[in-house]
Amino acid sequence: MVGVTGRPIRVVVVDDDPLVRGMLTLMLDGADGITVVGEAADGGQALTAVERHAPDVVLMDIRMPNVSGITATERLRRRPRPPEIIVLTTFDTDEHVVRALRAGASGFLLKDTPPEQISQAVRNVAAGAPILSPSVTRRLMQQVASGGESYEQALARLAPLTARERDVVLAIAQGRANAEIAADLLMSVTTVKAHVSHILTKLDLTNRTQIALLAHDARLV
């Protein structure tokens, strides 16, 4: 199996614990369709590794010395053609997880996630699919409401959207996949994808999770 580009998915592993980093590298480098092209011990080294290796996906620890995973995520997402970023954490209720998602991470994984699920998550984000389950997304939003935009700011940002686009935003915030949105709103999956693309452009966001978080700030869910 190869990535959507017809070649193996290139991954950089970032963790300050050399044992964790080594285990992730060993596990992923042996997975079908995935190759680990670099490692880094903190966010600063991650920026250098991405510059050098141009990965498709970065597995990013959140809590690291020097440059944190959140700061590194923010900086990487500002680059042209940035890699997809999956943040790694010990606790799924950690406030830092939502901060990383707001910064542009595609999703998160617990460090004790089974190996096959980690490799599948890498494949999913490389293909542009979200990796947060609806239940996890809702729980994160309910438990960590701080650090977002004010209600008024969020409403103002959503104002340029059409009524149909707002329907799609609400469905995304409810954790629905494209096929479910298409069935609920009586449109094709292709049309849903087009709406999502337009929404991301209008709101200056990078992924569906950020759309869901903005909808939460606007109290749509």
Side-chain angles (χ1 to χ4, degrees):
M1 179 183 291
V2 295
V4 293
T5 61
R7 58 170 174 76
I9 299 165
R10 297 166 60 83
V11 176
V12 163
V13 175
V14 186
D15 198 294
D16 64 325
D17 186 330
L19 290 177
V20 173
R21 199 166 62 244
M23 286 189 297
L24 286 169
T25 296
L26 182 64
M27 176 191 68
L28 287 171
D29 214 29
D32 188 23
I34 298 173
T35 181
V36 176
V37 295
E39 296 182 16
D42 65 29
Q45 292 182 20
L47 300 174
T48 302
V50 169
E51 182 71 30
R52 180 177 303 156
H53 300 293
D56 303 298
V57 178
V58 175
L59 279 180
M60 181 82 74
D61 188 18
I62 291 182
R63 299 187 179 190
M64 295 181 289
N66 303 318
V67 179
S68 73
I70 295 172
T71 299
T73 296
E74 291 172 338
R75 293 177 182 175
L76 287 174
R77 293 305 303 182
R78 290 197 293 265
R79 292 166 51 94
R81 297 183 297 278
E84 298 296 334
I85 299 170
I86 302 172
V87 294
L88 299 170
T89 184
T90 305
F91 304 105
D92 64 359
T93 57
D94 194 332
E95 176 183 351
H96 292 82
V97 172
V98 171
R99 289 181 58 197
L101 296 176
R102 291 189 188 278
S106 301
F108 81 92
L109 292 172
L110 297 178
K111 290 189 177 182
D112 61 357
T113 299
E116 64 276 8
Q117 292 183 24
I118 294 179
S119 56
Q120 188 57 52
V122 168
R123 296 187 189 96
N124 286 349
V125 298
I131 64 169
L132 287 178
S133 70
S135 61
V136 169
T137 301
R138 285 193 294 270
R139 189 168 71 252
L140 277 172
M141 290 181 190
Q142 290 166 357
Q143 293 178 344
V144 187
S146 62
E149 301 186 36
S150 72
Y151 169 65
E152 292 79 10
Q153 288 174 324
L155 281 182
R157 286 193 65 186
L158 293 171
L161 300 183
T162 65
R164 204 57 165 163
E165 288 169 345
R166 288 175 69 90
D167 291 339
V168 173
V169 166
L170 177 59
I172 291 172
Q174 292 170 336
R176 298 184 182 279
N178 286 344
E180 295 174 313
I181 297 173
D184 290 345
L185 300 181
L186 302 179
M187 61 177 70
S188 68
V189 172
T190 300
T191 300
V192 173
K193 291 180 178 179
H195 279 308
V196 173
S197 179
H198 294 156
I199 291 165
L200 290 171
T201 299
K202 284 185 178 182
L203 300 179
D204 192 25
L205 299 175
T206 60
N207 57 46
R208 296 165 68 98
T209 302
Q210 288 183 324
I211 293 175
L213 290 168
L214 182 61
H216 171 73
D217 293 336
R219 303 176 192 169
L220 299 185
V221 287

